[in-house]
Amino acid sequence: MKVYELLGRLANADPEALVLVFMPYADAADGAVLGDVIVRDDLWNHESGLYGARPYEVFYPGVPEEREPLYSNEKVERVKVVLIGEELGNFHPQLEV
């Protein structure tokens, strides 16, 4: 989702509503309040391709990673990202290793 899409979906939201975040396939009891948003200035890698015969997609900062021979059709694109989550302490620039 792009930032403009998120802003469009939030346009009519109650400004006092809580924003809940969920892991994939969670049920309603697994939600947690959104606690952190980080607008990154650096570019991240958006890597996609095949692992065996299955599609994969990952995002990560830094230098593109070398992959083992089971990976194929790899494509790496540099993208701007916004991180959101319940707690993102390890993603703050001053804390990264």
Side-chain angles (χ1 to χ4, degrees), residues 29-72:
D30 295 327
V33 175
L34 174 64
D36 206 353
V37 176
I38 301 172
V39 179
R40 298 293 300 228
D41 290 328
D42 58 333
L43 294 173
W44 278 34
N45 299 302
H46 171 213
E47 180 180 318
S48 60
L50 297 174
Y51 179 73
R54 300 184 72 173
Y56 80 95
E57 177 180 49
V58 294
F59 294 86
Y60 56 91
V63 178
E65 297 176 2
E66 250 188 74
R67 299 290 176 194
E68 61 185 69
L70 285 174
Y71 288 87
S72 64

Side-chain angles (χ1 to χ4, degrees), residues 63-94:
V63 178
E65 297 176 2
E66 250 188 74
R67 299 290 176 194
E68 61 185 69
L70 285 174
Y71 288 87
S72 64
N73 298 337
E74 296 138 283
K75 177 183 172 195
V76 178
E77 176 185 16
R78 303 285 286 161
V79 296
K80 296 289 269 181
V81 297
V82 174
L83 310 178
I84 63 171
E86 181 181 0
E87 191 279 316
L88 299 173
N90 59 324
F91 288 103
H92 286 278
Q94 67 274 15

Side-chain angles (χ1 to χ4, degrees), residues 13-30:
D14 179 343
E16 294 297 317
L18 289 175
V19 177
L20 302 180
V21 294
F22 293 86
M23 296 297 290
Y25 307 107
D27 63 37
D30 295 327

